[in-house]
Amino acid sequence: MYLTLTDIVLLTSIIQSLSLAVFLLLPSNSGLISNRLLVATLVFFAAGLGEIFLYGSGLALQYPNFAYLGTLIGLLQAGTLYLYAQSLMYQNFQLRGKHLVHTLLFWVVGAIFLIEYYLQPSETKVQILLERDHPGVLTSPLLAVAIHAVFLGYLYATIRAIINPAS
């Protein structure tokens, strides 16, 4: 397999994210809820980069069952980053069942990917991958815009909470 400079940079970024996550899991660091949320965010970020690497290196075509997993896992990143900011701002922050709402995007898009990709035969999966110009883009541009709008909404909510934590 031939690796391009882009592939090497992606692999380096993935390794750095995962290394930081491992460092944050050391016993002296792992007790804080904020560190655990940051670990989750870093792992989800690395998964998204992994998707780009699989697609760019051609490995997604060789292993089509692994295609789009990085995209799906990466969808959890915005919610965990928001919760990470919350955990830093509030001393008594605890994860509760109500925080599962931040996984909603993952479950909705996961259901779409399950129907439109993962339940398809391998030949169809390879054909779908060959027809796509960008990794992680499975269906309509409308779905891509909706996913990006949710990410921007989380970014806005996080920044707003940091600027005005009382509301």
Side-chain angles (χ1 to χ4, degrees):
M1 176 173 64
Y2 173 73
L3 294 179
T4 65
L5 179 61
T6 304
D7 294 333
I8 293 169
V9 170
L10 279 171
L11 282 175
T12 303
S13 299
I14 292 167
I15 291 168
Q16 287 176 337
S17 296
L18 295 177
S19 297
L20 179 56
V22 168
F23 173 75
L24 289 168
L25 288 174
L26 293 176
S28 61
N29 299 323
S30 65
L32 296 173
I33 189 75
S34 59
N35 283 357
R36 287 184 267 159
L37 287 166
L38 184 55
V39 165
T41 303
L42 289 167
V43 169
F44 300 152
F45 175 72
L49 293 179
E51 175 73 29
I52 297 168
F53 174 76
L54 284 176
Y55 190 85
S57 66
L59 288 172
L61 292 173
Q62 292 176 359
Y63 304 101
N65 291 330
F66 292 109
Y68 300 113
L69 285 179
T71 297
L72 286 173
I73 294 169
L75 294 175
L76 295 167
Q77 180 183 349
T80 57
L81 188 58
Y82 174 76
L83 292 173
Y84 169 69
Q86 295 288 312
S87 72
L88 291 177
M89 292 187 302
Y90 300 107
Q91 186 175 14
N92 296 326
F93 179 84
Q94 295 291 320
L95 284 175
R96 305 205 188 291
K98 68 180 182 179
H99 293 125
L100 288 174
V101 72
H102 299 291
T103 66
L104 189 59
L105 180 64
F106 169 80
W107 294 111
V108 170
V109 175
I112 293 169
F113 276 40
L114 179 68
I115 294 166
E116 292 193 13
Y117 183 77
Y118 288 109
L119 294 179
Q120 303 301 322
S122 292
E123 300 79 26
T124 304
K125 290 177 188 175
V126 170
Q127 188 61 36
I128 289 170
L129 291 172
L130 289 171
E131 292 174 358
R132 302 297 173 227
D133 292 331
H134 302 289
V137 179
L138 178 63
T139 57
S140 71
L142 183 60
L143 178 62
V145 168
I147 290 170
H148 285 87
V150 169
F151 268 75
L152 289 174
Y154 269 108
L155 176 63
Y156 173 76
T158 302
I159 291 171
R160 185 168 180 244
I162 290 169
I163 292 172
N164 189 9
S167 55

